Amino acid sequence: MNDREMLQPRAAHNVIMENRRVMSLSGVRDVDSFDEQTVVVLTEMGELTIRGVKLHISRLDQDTGEMLLDGEISELIYSDAVDEPKGFFARLFR
């Protein structure tokens, strides 16, 4: 997949949060990692990091790209879908 394909959404991405306790997501491509404090999800609009307490993925349907998450949600952070070189030498030799 090239950079242009990574930035072009294939499906709609929506986030619906109810009282910071339940979150419904669409446009989910993959779950990168998860534990009770952090869930990292690759969405149609980039990587989404969800932070909180007692986080639990109660439903994940990879066919439709829908996910349901519950817990005490405190933070949502989006990153661009394009992977940038992160190390010192990667930046030095651009």
Side-chain angles (χ1 to χ4, degrees), residues 52-72:
V53 179
K54 297 180 183 176
L55 298 178
H56 175 256
I57 298 173
S58 48
R59 186 183 63 185
L60 175 63
D61 187 334
Q62 291 183 317
D63 292 331
T64 63
E66 294 179 358
M67 184 173 106
L68 188 62
L69 176 86
D70 57 69
E72 297 175 29

Side-chain angles (χ1 to χ4, degrees), residues 1-9 29 41-48 78-86 94:
M1 189 176 296
N2 64 34
D3 291 346
R4 181 172 286 179
E5 289 173 328
M6 290 290 290
L7 294 175
Q8 300 277 331
R29 290 185 183 180
V41 180
L42 181 60
T43 74
E44 296 292 341
M45 299 302 295
E47 184 179 87
L48 173 61
Y78 279 96
S79 322
D80 289 337
V82 180
D83 290 332
E84 294 277 335
K86 294 178 175 79
R94 268 198 235 185

Side-chain angles (χ1 to χ4, degrees), residues 14 24 26 30 35-36 53 60 65 77 80 82 84 86 89:
N14 294 299
S24 174
S26 65
D30 197 12
D35 59 34
E36 287 193 335
V53 179
L60 175 63
I77 303 167
D80 289 337
V82 180
E84 294 277 335
K86 294 178 175 79
F89 290 108

Side-chain angles (χ1 to χ4, degrees), residues 15 19 27 31-32 38 44 48 54 70 79 82 88 91:
V15 176
N19 300 321
V31 175
D32 188 43
T38 306
E44 296 292 341
L48 173 61
K54 297 180 183 176
D70 57 69
S79 322
V82 180
F88 170 75
R91 288 192 311 266

